[in-house]
């Protein structure tokens, strides 16, 4: 594709339609689910941010460079990453290999490897457009949760002077505050955060305390019933066992809900099949274009259109203000007429 043809395609991309039902949502009616696609767009120089597989590969690479894994184990784990479909199992085995045999997860070399992989994230932010869009929505009440282990959004938000806060499922009080809308700039990491490897959730047992707490589960599942979830940069999030346990397993009548997922349309047959399948979960699949480079501009345009929608409450307020002015004018008119009559007498 030559440069002229690429420019034409980009011009067409900017004018693509966005679902009316989505752009008419008020920001506070939305809950953003942020996946690896956001981090990959923001910091493309860090392969570990591109996918869960890439993250594990980067940790293995760091373990080899730091010499905290036997060469034979390094080779074995590289084979597992290629062959095994369940990457969570591979990650769990990798952590245990670099942890004490006592069963205690502290201290361990896994944390050192993560620090190596995610070192100086703030220096690798190249395309902040998506993060700017997310912050703009958060300012207006949109809630955010992520499956990512990185804190790129929080780092960027703090640079913009926002009181960003990273939350994880271990802190019940914070989770409840966030779910009830009391932490405006809170980002819930349902898999944990790389800065606390011991808190990273890699299997069902890692969050069983949360799923067995009826108060936490009720407020979280209520979000799925009352908010419109907007999946941004997410690939296999709906197949993620943690997301399923928190939001999908016990939520009934999902087909009656209205959630949205932004995806790339590389293959038409696959795209339309995905659309049909996701509607069964109450999710409308929307294409942002046929290649990943269109993703940031689409999110920016979508955010702009959502944020320019006027709140219905504003129209009600304007109506009452106008009504009040009419009533006030009537009262003043009566008052001045009465004064004039008094003076005449």
């Amino acid at each position: 594709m030559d440069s002229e043809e690429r420019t034409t395609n980009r011009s067409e991309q900017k004018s693509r339609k966005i679902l009316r039902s989505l752009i008419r949502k008020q920001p506070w009616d939305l809950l953003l689910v942020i996946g690896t696609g956001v981090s990959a767009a923001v910091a493309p120089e860090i392969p570990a941010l591109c996918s869960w597989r890439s993250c594990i590969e980067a940790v293995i690479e760091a373990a080899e460079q730091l010499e905290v894994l036997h060469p034979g184990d390094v080779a074995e784990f590289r084979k597992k990453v290629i062959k095994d479909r369940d990457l969570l199992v591979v990650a769990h085995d990798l952590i245990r290999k670099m942890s004490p045999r006592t069963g205690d997860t502290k201290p361990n070399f896994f944390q050192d490897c993560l620090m190596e992989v995610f070192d100086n994230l703030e220096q690798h932010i190249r395309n902040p457009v998506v993060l700017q869009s997310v912050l703009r929505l958060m300012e207006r009440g949109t809630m955010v949760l992520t499956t990512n282990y990185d804190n790129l959004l929080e780092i960027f938000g703090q640079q913009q002077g926002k009181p960003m806060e990273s939350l994880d499922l271990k802190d019940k009080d914070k989770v409840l505050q966030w779910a009830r809308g009391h932490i405006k700039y809170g980002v819930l990491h349902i898999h944990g955060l790389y800065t606390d490897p011991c808190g990273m959730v890699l299997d069902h047992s890692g969050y069983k305390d949360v799923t067995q707490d009826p108060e936490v589960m009720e407020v979280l599942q209520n979000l799925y019933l009352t908010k419109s979830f907007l999946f941004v940069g997410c690939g296999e999030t709906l197949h993620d066992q943690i997301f399923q346990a928190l939001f999908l397993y016990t939520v009934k009548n999902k087909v009656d809900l209205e959630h949205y997922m932004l995806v790339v349309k590389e293959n038409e047959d696959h795209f339309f099949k995905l659309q049909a399948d996701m509607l069964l979960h109450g999710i409308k699949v929307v294409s942002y274009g046929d290649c990943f480079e269109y993703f940031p501009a689409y999110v920016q345009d979508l955010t702009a259109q959502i944020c320019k929608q006027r709140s219905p409450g504003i129209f009600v307020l304007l109506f009452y203000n106008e009504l009040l002015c009419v009533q006030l004018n009537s009262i003043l008119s009566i008052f001045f007429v009465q004064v004039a009559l008094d003076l005449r007498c």
Side-chain angles (χ1 to χ4, degrees), residues 286-345:
V286 182
S287 167
Y288 57 77
D290 57 8
C291 61
F292 185 63
E293 69 175 357
Y294 294 138
F295 174 66
Y298 185 93
V299 173
Q300 185 180 40
D301 186 30
L302 172 62
T303 299
Q305 294 198 47
I306 290 174
C307 290
K308 77 178 181 181
Q309 296 293 318
R310 297 183 70 178
S311 167
I314 292 178
F315 293 106
V316 173
L317 182 61
L318 291 175
F319 170 76
Y320 279 113
N321 282 343
E322 186 173 347
L323 182 62
L324 182 62
C325 288
V326 171
Q327 292 176 336
L328 184 60
N329 286 334
S330 299
I331 292 171
L332 289 174
S333 297
I334 294 172
F335 172 76
F336 285 120
V337 168
Q338 186 64 46
V339 170
L341 291 173
D342 291 343
L343 291 173
R344 189 173 296 177
C345 293

Coordinates of all heavy atoms in Angstrom, one line a residue, residues 286-345:
V286 N -18.0 -3.7 18.2 CA -17.8 -2.6 17.3 C -16.4 -2.6 16.7 O -15.4 -2.7 17.5 CB -18.1 -1.3 18.0 CG1 -18.0 -0.1 17.0 CG2 -19.5 -1.3 18.6
S287 N -16.2 -2.4 15.4 CA -14.9 -2.3 14.8 C -14.4 -0.9 14.8 O -15.1 0.0 14.4 CB -14.9 -2.9 13.4 OG -13.8 -2.6 12.7
Y288 N -13.1 -0.8 15.2 CA -12.5 0.6 15.1 C -11.7 0.7 13.8 O -11.1 1.7 13.5 CB -11.6 0.8 16.3 CG -10.5 -0.2 16.6 CD1 -9.3 -0.2 15.8 CD2 -10.6 -1.1 17.6 CE1 -8.3 -1.1 16.1 CE2 -9.6 -2.0 17.9 CZ -8.5 -2.0 17.1 OH -7.5 -2.9 17.3
G289 N -11.6 -0.4 13.0 CA -10.9 -0.3 11.7 C -10.3 -1.7 11.4 O -10.4 -2.6 12.2
D290 N -9.6 -1.8 10.3 CA -9.0 -3.0 9.9 C -7.6 -3.2 10.3 O -6.9 -4.2 9.9 CB -9.2 -3.3 8.4 CG -8.5 -2.1 7.6 OD1 -7.8 -1.3 8.2 OD2 -8.7 -2.1 6.4
C291 N -7.0 -2.3 11.1 CA -5.6 -2.4 11.6 C -5.5 -1.7 12.9 O -6.2 -0.7 13.2 CB -4.6 -2.0 10.6 SG -4.7 -0.3 10.1
F292 N -4.6 -2.1 13.7 CA -4.4 -1.6 15.1 C -4.1 -0.1 15.1 O -4.4 0.6 16.1 CB -3.3 -2.4 15.8 CG -3.2 -2.0 17.3 CD1 -4.2 -2.2 18.2 CD2 -2.0 -1.5 17.7 CE1 -4.1 -1.8 19.5 CE2 -1.8 -1.1 19.1 CZ -2.9 -1.3 20.0
E293 N -3.5 0.4 14.1 CA -3.0 1.8 14.1 C -4.2 2.8 14.1 O -4.0 4.0 14.5 CB -2.1 2.1 12.9 CG -2.8 2.1 11.6 CD -1.9 2.6 10.4 OE1 -0.8 2.9 10.7 OE2 -2.4 2.5 9.3
Y294 N -5.4 2.3 13.8 CA -6.6 3.2 13.9 C -7.2 3.3 15.3 O -8.0 4.1 15.6 CB -7.7 2.6 13.0 CG -7.4 2.7 11.5 CD1 -7.7 1.6 10.6 CD2 -6.7 3.8 10.9 CE1 -7.4 1.7 9.3 CE2 -6.4 3.9 9.6 CZ -6.7 2.8 8.8 OH -6.4 2.9 7.4
F295 N -6.7 2.4 16.2 CA -7.3 2.3 17.5 C -7.2 3.6 18.3 O -8.3 4.1 18.8 CB -6.6 1.2 18.3 CG -7.0 1.0 19.7 CD1 -8.3 0.6 20.1 CD2 -6.1 1.2 20.7 CE1 -8.6 0.5 21.4 CE2 -6.4 1.1 22.0 CZ -7.7 0.7 22.4
P296 N -6.1 4.3 18.5 CA -6.0 5.5 19.3 C -6.9 6.6 18.8 O -7.6 7.2 19.6 CB -4.5 5.9 19.2 CG -3.8 4.7 18.9 CD -4.7 3.9 18.0
A297 N -6.9 6.8 17.5 CA -7.8 7.9 16.9 C -9.3 7.6 17.1 O -10.1 8.5 17.4 CB -7.5 8.1 15.4
Y298 N -9.6 6.4 17.0 CA -11.0 6.0 17.2 C -11.5 6.2 18.6 O -12.5 6.8 18.9 CB -11.2 4.5 16.8 CG -12.7 4.1 16.9 CD1 -13.5 4.1 15.7 CD2 -13.3 3.6 18.1 CE1 -14.8 3.7 15.8 CE2 -14.6 3.2 18.1 CZ -15.4 3.3 17.0 OH -16.7 2.9 17.0
V299 N -10.6 5.8 19.6 CA -10.9 6.0 21.0 C -11.1 7.5 21.3 O -11.9 8.0 22.0 CB -9.9 5.4 21.9 CG1 -10.1 5.7 23.4 CG2 -9.9 3.9 21.7
Q300 N -10.2 8.3 20.7 CA -10.2 9.8 20.9 C -11.5 10.4 20.4 O -12.1 11.2 21.1 CB -9.0 10.4 20.2 CG -8.8 11.9 20.5 CD -7.6 12.5 19.8 OE1 -7.3 12.1 18.6 NE2 -6.9 13.3 20.5
D301 N -11.9 9.9 19.2 CA -13.1 10.5 18.6 C -14.3 10.0 19.4 O -15.2 10.8 19.6 CB -13.2 10.0 17.1 CG -14.4 10.6 16.4 OD1 -14.8 11.7 16.7 OD2 -14.9 9.9 15.5
L302 N -14.3 8.8 19.8 CA -15.5 8.2 20.6 C -15.6 9.0 21.9 O -16.7 9.4 22.2 CB -15.2 6.8 20.8 CG -16.2 6.1 21.8 CD1 -17.6 6.1 21.3 CD2 -15.8 4.6 22.1
T303 N -14.5 9.2 22.5 CA -14.5 10.0 23.8 C -15.1 11.4 23.6 O -15.9 11.9 24.4 CB -13.1 10.0 24.4 OG1 -12.7 8.7 24.7 CG2 -13.1 10.9 25.7
A304 N -14.6 12.0 22.6 CA -15.1 13.4 22.3 C -16.6 13.5 22.1 O -17.2 14.4 22.6 CB -14.3 14.0 21.0
Q305 N -17.1 12.5 21.3 CA -18.5 12.5 21.1 C -19.3 12.2 22.3 O -20.4 12.7 22.5 CB -18.8 11.5 20.0 CG -18.3 11.8 18.6 CD -18.9 11.1 17.5 OE1 -20.1 11.0 17.4 NE2 -18.1 10.6 16.6
I306 N -18.8 11.3 23.2 CA -19.5 11.0 24.4 C -19.5 12.2 25.3 O -20.6 12.5 25.9 CB -18.9 9.8 25.1 CG1 -19.1 8.5 24.3 CG2 -19.4 9.6 26.6 CD1 -18.4 7.3 24.9
C307 N -18.4 12.8 25.4 CA -18.2 14.0 26.4 C -19.0 15.2 25.9 O -19.3 16.1 26.8 CB -16.8 14.3 26.6 SG -15.9 13.0 27.5
K308 N -19.3 15.3 24.7 CA -20.0 16.5 24.2 C -21.6 16.4 24.4 O -22.3 17.3 24.2 CB -19.7 16.9 22.8 CG -20.4 16.0 21.7 CD -20.0 16.4 20.3 CE -20.8 15.6 19.3 NZ -20.4 16.0 17.9
Q309 N -22.0 15.2 24.7 CA -23.4 15.0 25.0 C -23.8 15.7 26.3 O -23.1 15.7 27.3 CB -23.7 13.5 25.2 CG -23.5 12.6 24.0 CD -24.4 12.9 22.8 OE1 -25.6 13.1 23.1 NE2 -23.9 13.0 21.6
R310 N -24.9 16.5 26.2 CA -25.3 17.2 27.4 C -26.2 16.3 28.3 O -27.0 15.5 27.8 CB -26.2 18.4 26.9 CG -25.4 19.4 26.1 CD -26.2 20.6 25.8 NE -26.4 21.5 26.9 CZ -27.1 22.6 26.9 NH1 -27.6 23.1 25.7 NH2 -27.3 23.3 27.9
S311 N -26.0 16.5 29.5 CA -26.7 15.7 30.5 C -28.2 16.1 30.5 O -28.6 17.3 30.4 CB -26.2 16.0 31.9 OG -27.1 15.5 32.9
P312 N -29.1 15.1 30.5 CA -30.5 15.4 30.6 C -30.9 16.3 31.8 O -31.8 17.1 31.7 CB -31.2 14.0 30.8 CG -30.2 13.0 30.3 CD -28.8 13.6 30.5
G313 N -30.1 16.2 32.8 CA -30.3 17.0 34.0 C -30.1 18.5 33.7 O -30.7 19.4 34.3
I314 N -29.2 18.8 32.7 CA -29.0 20.2 32.4 C -30.2 20.8 31.7 O -30.6 21.9 32.0 CB -27.8 20.3 31.4 CG1 -26.5 19.9 32.1 CG2 -27.7 21.7 30.8 CD1 -25.3 19.9 31.2
F315 N -30.9 20.0 30.9 CA -32.1 20.5 30.3 C -33.2 20.7 31.3 O -34.0 21.7 31.2 CB -32.6 19.5 29.2 CG -31.7 19.4 28.0 CD1 -30.9 18.3 27.9 CD2 -31.6 20.4 27.1 CE1 -30.0 18.2 26.8 CE2 -30.7 20.3 26.0 CZ -29.9 19.2 25.9
V316 N -33.3 19.8 32.3 CA -34.3 20.0 33.3 C -34.0 21.3 34.1 O -34.9 22.1 34.4 CB -34.3 18.8 34.3 CG1 -35.2 19.1 35.5 CG2 -34.7 17.5 33.5
L317 N -32.7 21.5 34.4 CA -32.3 22.7 35.2 C -32.6 23.9 34.4 O -33.1 24.9 34.9 CB -30.8 22.6 35.5 CG -30.2 23.7 36.3 CD1 -30.9 23.8 37.7 CD2 -28.7 23.5 36.5
L318 N -32.3 23.9 33.1 CA -32.6 25.1 32.3 C -34.1 25.4 32.2 O -34.5 26.5 32.3 CB -32.1 24.9 30.8 CG -30.5 24.8 30.7 CD1 -30.2 24.5 29.2 CD2 -29.9 26.2 31.0
F319 N -34.9 24.3 32.2 CA -36.4 24.5 32.1 C -36.8 25.2 33.4 O -37.6 26.1 33.4 CB -37.0 23.2 32.0 CG -38.5 23.2 32.1 CD1 -39.4 23.7 31.2 CD2 -39.1 22.7 33.3 CE1 -40.7 23.8 31.3 CE2 -40.5 22.8 33.5 CZ -41.3 23.3 32.5
Y320 N -36.4 24.7 34.6 CA -36.8 25.2 35.9 C -36.3 26.7 36.0 O -36.9 27.5 36.6 CB -36.3 24.4 37.0 CG -37.2 23.2 37.2 CD1 -36.7 21.9 37.0 CD2 -38.5 23.3 37.7 CE1 -37.6 20.8 37.2 CE2 -39.3 22.2 37.9 CZ -38.9 21.0 37.6 OH -39.7 19.9 37.8
N321 N -35.0 26.9 35.5 CA -34.5 28.3 35.6 C -35.4 29.3 34.8 O -35.7 30.4 35.2 CB -33.1 28.3 35.1 CG -32.1 27.8 36.1 OD1 -32.4 27.7 37.3 ND2 -30.9 27.5 35.6
E322 N -35.8 28.8 33.6 CA -36.6 29.6 32.8 C -38.0 29.8 33.4 O -38.6 30.9 33.4 CB -36.8 29.0 31.4 CG -37.6 29.8 30.4 CD -37.6 29.2 29.0 OE1 -36.8 28.3 28.8 OE2 -38.4 29.7 28.2
L323 N -38.5 28.8 34.0 CA -39.8 28.9 34.7 C -39.7 29.8 35.9 O -40.6 30.6 36.1 CB -40.3 27.5 35.2 CG -41.6 27.4 35.9 CD1 -42.7 27.8 34.9 CD2 -41.9 25.9 36.3
L324 N -38.6 29.7 36.6 CA -38.4 30.6 37.8 C -38.4 32.1 37.4 O -38.9 32.9 38.0 CB -37.1 30.2 38.5 CG -36.8 31.0 39.8 CD1 -37.9 30.8 40.8 CD2 -35.4 30.5 40.3
C325 N -37.7 32.3 36.2 CA -37.5 33.7 35.7 C -38.9 34.2 35.4 O -39.2 35.4 35.6 CB -36.6 33.7 34.5 SG -34.9 33.5 35.0
V326 N -39.7 33.4 34.7 CA -41.1 33.8 34.3 C -41.9 34.2 35.6 O -42.6 35.2 35.6 CB -41.8 32.7 33.5 CG1 -43.3 33.1 33.3 CG2 -41.1 32.5 32.2
Q327 N -41.8 33.3 36.6 CA -42.6 33.5 37.8 C -42.1 34.8 38.5 O -42.8 35.6 39.0 CB -42.4 32.3 38.8 CG -43.1 31.1 38.2 CD -42.9 29.9 39.1 OE1 -41.9 29.8 39.9 NE2 -43.8 28.9 39.1
L328 N -40.7 35.0 38.5 CA -40.2 36.1 39.2 C -40.6 37.4 38.5 O -40.9 38.4 39.1 CB -38.6 36.0 39.2 CG -37.9 37.1 39.9 CD1 -38.3 37.2 41.4 CD2 -36.4 36.9 39.8
N329 N -40.6 37.4 37.2 CA -41.0 38.6 36.4 C -42.5 38.9 36.7 O -42.9 40.1 36.7 CB -40.8 38.3 34.9 CG -39.4 38.3 34.5 OD1 -38.6 39.0 35.1 ND2 -39.0 37.7 33.4
S330 N -43.3 37.9 36.8 CA -44.7 38.1 37.1 C -44.9 38.7 38.5 O -45.7 39.7 38.6 CB -45.5 36.7 37.0 OG -45.4 36.1 35.8
I331 N -44.1 38.2 39.4 CA -44.2 38.8 40.8 C -43.8 40.2 40.8 O -44.4 41.1 41.4 CB -43.4 37.9 41.8 CG1 -44.0 36.5 41.9 CG2 -43.3 38.6 43.1 CD1 -43.1 35.6 42.7
L332 N -42.7 40.5 40.1 CA -42.2 41.9 40.0 C -43.2 42.8 39.4 O -43.4 44.0 39.8 CB -40.8 41.9 39.3 CG -39.6 41.3 40.1 CD1 -38.4 41.3 39.2 CD2 -39.4 42.1 41.4
S333 N -43.8 42.3 38.3 CA -44.8 43.1 37.6 C -46.0 43.5 38.5 O -46.4 44.6 38.5 CB -45.3 42.4 36.4 OG -44.3 42.1 35.5
I334 N -46.4 42.5 39.2 CA -47.5 42.7 40.2 C -47.1 43.7 41.2 O -47.9 44.6 41.6 CB -48.0 41.4 40.8 CG1 -48.6 40.5 39.8 CG2 -49.0 41.7 41.9 CD1 -48.9 39.1 40.2
F335 N -45.9 43.6 41.7 CA -45.4 44.5 42.8 C -45.3 45.9 42.3 O -45.8 46.8 43.0 CB -44.0 44.0 43.2 CG -43.3 44.9 44.1 CD1 -43.6 45.0 45.5 CD2 -42.3 45.8 43.7 CE1 -43.0 45.9 46.3 CE2 -41.6 46.7 44.5 CZ -42.0 46.7 45.9
F336 N -44.8 46.1 41.1 CA -44.6 47.5 40.6 C -46.0 48.1 40.3 O -46.2 49.3 40.4 CB -43.7 47.5 39.4 CG -42.3 47.4 39.7 CD1 -41.5 46.3 39.2 CD2 -41.6 48.3 40.6 CE1 -40.2 46.2 39.5 CE2 -40.3 48.1 40.9 CZ -39.6 47.1 40.4
V337 N -46.9 47.3 39.8 CA -48.3 47.8 39.6 C -48.9 48.3 40.9 O -49.6 49.3 40.9 CB -49.2 46.7 38.9 CG1 -50.7 47.1 38.9 CG2 -48.7 46.5 37.5
Q338 N -48.7 47.4 41.9 CA -49.3 47.8 43.2 C -48.7 49.1 43.8 O -49.4 49.9 44.3 CB -49.0 46.6 44.2 CG -49.7 46.8 45.6 CD -51.2 46.9 45.5 OE1 -51.9 46.1 44.8 NE2 -51.9 47.9 46.1
V339 N -47.3 49.2 43.6 CA -46.6 50.4 44.0 C -47.2 51.6 43.3 O -47.4 52.7 43.9 CB -45.1 50.3 43.8 CG1 -44.4 51.6 44.0 CG2 -44.5 49.2 44.7
A340 N -47.4 51.5 42.0 CA -47.9 52.6 41.2 C -49.3 53.0 41.7 O -49.6 54.2 41.7 CB -47.9 52.2 39.7
L341 N -50.1 52.0 42.0 CA -51.5 52.3 42.5 C -51.4 53.0 43.8 O -52.2 54.0 44.1 CB -52.3 51.0 42.6 CG -52.7 50.4 41.2 CD1 -53.4 49.0 41.5 CD2 -53.6 51.3 40.4
D342 N -50.5 52.6 44.7 CA -50.4 53.2 46.0 C -50.0 54.7 45.9 O -50.4 55.5 46.6 CB -49.4 52.4 46.9 CG -49.9 51.0 47.3 OD1 -51.1 50.8 47.2 OD2 -49.1 50.2 47.6
L343 N -49.0 54.9 45.0 CA -48.6 56.3 44.8 C -49.7 57.2 44.2 O -49.7 58.4 44.6 CB -47.3 56.3 43.8 CG -46.0 55.7 44.4 CD1 -45.0 55.6 43.3 CD2 -45.5 56.5 45.6
R344 N -50.5 56.6 43.4 CA -51.5 57.4 42.7 C -52.6 57.8 43.8 O -53.2 58.8 43.8 CB -52.2 56.6 41.6 CG -53.1 57.4 40.8 CD -53.6 56.6 39.6 NE -52.5 56.3 38.6 CZ -52.7 55.5 37.6 NH1 -53.8 55.0 37.3 NH2 -51.6 55.3 36.8
C345 N -52.7 56.9 44.8 CA -53.7 57.2 45.8 C -53.1 58.2 46.8 O -53.8 58.9 47.5 CB -54.0 55.9 46.6 SG -54.9 54.7 45.6

